[in-house]
């Protein structure tokens, strides 16, 4: 068996942990994860040979410099901030660490914690330790193990019991130095009967080769409600790896709103584990592939509790020679009576060389349930095009309207208006290339 060559050694991991004054439990976790990474295989993905991808460019940890003014951020990041002179409830990570964070006094007085995960490990250690890497396990595969060993910056969001956060909290993750490790970890803990809306964006310029290995964990306690919106816009040359998981207790709910707009190769696995009775999940995902991109996007719902509804919609547009594997997996476990899992995957191909696979999968181990799926792969419907042209709309404009209408169900769900506008502009730019 060929020995795995890892992007970092044990001494470097120990030094990294020590430089951030991490408690011993986190140092041990990192070192154990690194050891695991040397023994585990890469994930086996449907029709995607990620062993041929550039998975070596992790770079090294580089201490970031604090940001003095938000005006110093790249233009693409500033567009996400809206018109507020001093945005609140905002966190910004630049390369290996967080350079800006601010939480309103009102939310802080209610007990809300919104800070970088590095700080949370030191100041809220017991809370972080009981949830960190519990939804996404370090021993799942080599990529998750490497993330557990190398993670940096990140977000820790905690909402106390019965607290309703009525304004969205926002994070922006920017990769500028391709030699700096970029592996943020987002950990959201919503206590019983709380609610929160969280939005983040991932940005980098074209032409910079690096690996983004990110993990999102959402822990929703009984009756909690979490809306999670994200737009991934890493440039050409990037390799994007993202695992998202939500653990849902009794009557908890997660709403995923995901824009997979990276310009490099990317894999994403978004999973809702409906563990408690009455838990529910709604996932809406869009993706646009251009050039010779290779995308593998999986959305899952695992039903364990009784009377647990889930719904997932994925819509992808492929042009040029882009390839997408779109998987929707609904798993209903024995005993999950009354579960209702629905899913739809649709791929629209805009060129003869583009490829898209839509794979709906239902795995059902219980009789008293409902489940359904729909999937389609095709080109723009000529009848729809003809209808719009018959109303006086030029062919090119009619074609554009159909494509935008195809993606609209997700774009319109973005909870921040400035982020919604940026997503719309990003889609238009990718489709116009």
């Amino acid at each position: 068996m060929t020995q795995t060559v890892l992007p970092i050694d044990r001494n470097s991991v120990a030094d990294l942990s020590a430089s951030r004054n991490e408690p011993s439990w986190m140092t041990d976790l990192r070192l154990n994860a690194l050891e695991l990474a040397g023994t585990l295989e890469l994930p086996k993905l449907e029709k995607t040979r990620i062993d041929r991808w550039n998975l070596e460019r992790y770079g090294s940890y580089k201490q970031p410099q604090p940001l003095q003014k938000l005006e110093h951020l790249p233009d693409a990041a500033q567009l996400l901030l809206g018109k507020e002179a001093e945005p609140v409830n905002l966190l910004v990570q630049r390369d290996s660490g967080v350079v800006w964070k601010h939480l309103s006094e009102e939310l802080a007085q209610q007990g809300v914690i919104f800070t970088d995960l590095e700080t949370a490990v030191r100041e809220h250690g017991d809370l972080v330790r009981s949830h960190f890497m519990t939804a996404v396990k370090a021993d799942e595969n080599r990529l998750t193990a490497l993330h557990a060993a190398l993670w940096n910056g990140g977000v820790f969001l905690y909402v106390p019991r019965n607290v309703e956060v009525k304004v969205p909290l926002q994070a922006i993750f920017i990769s500028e130095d391709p030699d700096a490790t970029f592996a943020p970890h987002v950990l959201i803990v919503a206590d019983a009967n709380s609610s929160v809306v969280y939005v983040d964006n991932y940005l980098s310029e074209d032409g910079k080769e690096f690996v983004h290995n990110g993990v999102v964990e959402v822990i929703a306690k009984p009756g909690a409600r979490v809306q999670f919106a994200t737009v991934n816009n890493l440039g050409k040359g990037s390799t994007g790896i993202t695992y998202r998981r939500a653990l849902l207790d009794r009557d908890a709910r997660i709403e995923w709103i995901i824009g997979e707009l990276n310009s490099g190769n990317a894999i994403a696995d978004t999973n809702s584990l409906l563990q408690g009775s009455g838990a529910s999940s709604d996932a809406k995902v869009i993706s646009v592939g251009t050039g010779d991109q290779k995308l593998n996007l999986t959305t899952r719902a695992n039903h364990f509790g009784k009377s647990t509804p889930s719904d997932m919609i994925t819509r992808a547009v492929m042009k040029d020679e882009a390839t997408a594997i779109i998987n929707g997996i609904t798993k209903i476990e024995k005993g999950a009576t009354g579960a209702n899992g629905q899913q739809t995957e649709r791929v629209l191909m805009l060129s003869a060389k583009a490829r898209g696979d839509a794979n709906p999968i239902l795995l059902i181990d219980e009789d008293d349930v409902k489940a359904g799926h729909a999937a389609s792969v095709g080109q723009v419907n000529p009848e729809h095009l003809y209808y719009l042209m018959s109303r006086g709309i030029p062919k090119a404009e009619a074609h554009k309207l159909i494509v935008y209408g195809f993606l609209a169900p997700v774009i319109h769900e973005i909870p921040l208006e400035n982020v919604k506008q940026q997503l719309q502009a990003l889609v238009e730019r990718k489709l116009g290339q």
Side-chain angles (χ1 to χ4, degrees):
M1 179 173 147
T2 303
Q3 185 175 1
T4 300
V5 178
L6 299 176
I8 193 170
D9 60 30
R10 189 176 179 86
N11 290 336
S12 298
V13 169
D15 292 343
L16 171 64
S17 188
S19 69
R20 286 183 268 185
N21 196 28
E22 292 180 344
S24 59
W25 67 264
M26 178 55 75
T27 303
D28 292 341
L29 187 151
R30 287 184 182 275
L31 292 173
N32 291 337
L34 183 68
E35 186 174 346
L36 276 173
T39 63
L40 296 173
E41 300 289 336
L42 291 171
K44 299 294 190 297
L45 302 180
E46 181 76 19
K47 299 180 181 179
T48 305
R49 291 289 305 272
I50 64 170
D51 57 311
R52 298 177 178 175
W53 291 12
N54 179 8
L55 295 176
E56 309 302 323
R57 292 298 302 269
Y58 275 89
S60 59
Y61 179 82
K62 297 190 177 182
Q63 181 69 34
Q65 297 301 314
L67 187 68
Q68 301 301 320
K69 295 182 179 180
L70 290 174
E71 289 83 355
H72 295 164
L73 289 173
D75 291 343
Q78 293 189 45
L79 289 173
L80 298 168
L81 300 178
K83 299 179 181 179
E84 295 182 51
E86 193 70 22
V88 295
N89 306 323
L90 172 69
L91 183 146
V92 179
Q93 175 167 340
R94 211 168 188 172
D95 295 320
S96 296
V98 169
V99 297
W100 182 280
K101 57 183 176 181
H102 190 271
L103 178 68
S104 71
E105 185 63 28
E106 178 184 359
L107 291 180
Q109 289 180 355
Q110 295 180 67
V112 174
I113 302 170
F114 183 54
T115 188
D116 60 284
L117 187 57
E118 292 180 10
T119 296
V121 166
R122 296 189 298 269
E123 299 182 359
H124 309 282
D126 290 343
L127 191 55
V128 174
R129 185 177 185 180
S130 60
H131 297 102
F132 182 78
M133 297 302 290
T134 59
V136 177
K137 306 292 187 181
D139 61 1
E140 289 186 23
N141 57 61
R142 189 188 307 166
L143 299 179
T144 58
L146 279 174
H147 173 86
L150 297 173
W151 72 269
N152 52 35
V155 169
F156 179 67
L157 170 57
Y158 172 74
V159 186
R161 179 185 297 264
N162 298 324
V163 171
E164 295 185 13
V165 180
K166 300 182 182 299
V167 294
L169 287 80
Q170 184 178 9
I172 301 175
F173 301 97
I174 307 166
S175 175
E176 293 181 308
D177 183 351
D179 295 323
T181 304
F182 186 60
H185 186 108
V186 177
L187 176 58
I188 299 174
V189 181
D191 216 330
N193 300 312
S194 65
S195 66
V196 67
V197 177
Y198 168 86
V199 182
D200 67 24
N201 293 77
Y202 293 76
L203 304 171
S204 77
E205 295 179 352
D206 288 340
K208 297 182 177 181
E209 295 187 4
F210 67 98
V211 174
H212 160 247
N213 186 341
V215 164
V216 173
E217 297 184 289
V218 178
I219 314 297
K221 304 292 186 177
R225 300 287 187 272
V226 178
Q227 188 179 51
F228 185 105
T230 183
V231 180
N232 289 255
N233 179 24
L234 300 177
K236 295 178 182 177
S238 65
T239 299
I241 302 163
T242 307
Y243 286 90
R244 307 182 189 96
R245 299 276 170 78
L247 301 182
L248 306 173
D249 212 323
R250 174 177 47 82
D251 296 325
R253 178 170 175 80
I254 179 73
E255 295 180 23
W256 301 104
I257 304 163
I258 299 170
E260 300 286 4
L261 280 301
N262 288 341
S263 294
N265 293 341
I267 63 173
D269 190 309
T270 303
N271 192 358
S272 300
L273 290 91
L274 296 88
Q275 296 177 325
S277 295
S280 60
S281 168
D282 183 274
K284 295 182 176 68
V285 183
I286 64 168
S287 179
V288 177
T290 60
D292 60 354
Q293 271 186 279
K294 294 175 178 58
L295 305 174
N296 188 295
L297 310 177
T298 299
T299 310
R300 308 172 191 263
N302 287 69
H303 297 252
F304 296 91
K306 301 178 186 299
S307 302
T308 50
S310 71
D311 193 20
M312 59 183 82
I313 297 173
T314 303
R315 299 196 174 188
V317 177
M318 296 292 111
K319 59 178 296 188
D320 305 324
E321 299 180 18
T323 299
I325 307 298
I326 308 296
N327 301 309
I329 303 173
T330 301
K331 179 71 165 70
I332 301 179
E333 305 288 347
K334 183 67 176 176
T337 56
N340 185 353
Q342 304 294 327
Q343 57 170 285
T344 303
E345 293 82 41
R346 301 195 186 283
V347 182
L348 189 63
M349 294 186 294
L350 302 186
S351 66
K353 294 184 178 180
R355 292 289 181 269
D357 281 359
N359 305 309
I361 301 170
L362 301 178
L363 305 171
I364 302 173
D365 292 333
E366 180 58 58
D367 296 329
D368 182 18
V369 299
K370 295 179 181 178
H373 64 76
S376 67
V377 177
Q379 299 177 333
V380 172
N381 190 318
E383 293 183 359
H384 296 168
L385 197 62
Y386 176 80
Y387 175 83
L388 293 175
M389 292 173 62
S390 71
R391 266 57 183 174
I393 300 175
K395 183 176 182 179
E397 185 66 21
H399 191 277
K400 184 187 300 184
L401 287 173
I402 291 172
V403 174
Y404 293 162
F406 179 76
L407 299 174
V410 176
I411 295 176
H412 290 167
E413 294 289 331
I414 295 290
L416 283 176
E417 185 61 34
N418 47 315
V419 176
K420 183 190 300 184
Q421 293 174 2
Q422 183 73 352
L423 176 58
Q424 180 73 35
L426 177 60
V427 168
E428 292 179 4
R429 179 167 64 85
K430 288 202 74 175
L431 291 176
Q433 291 176 343

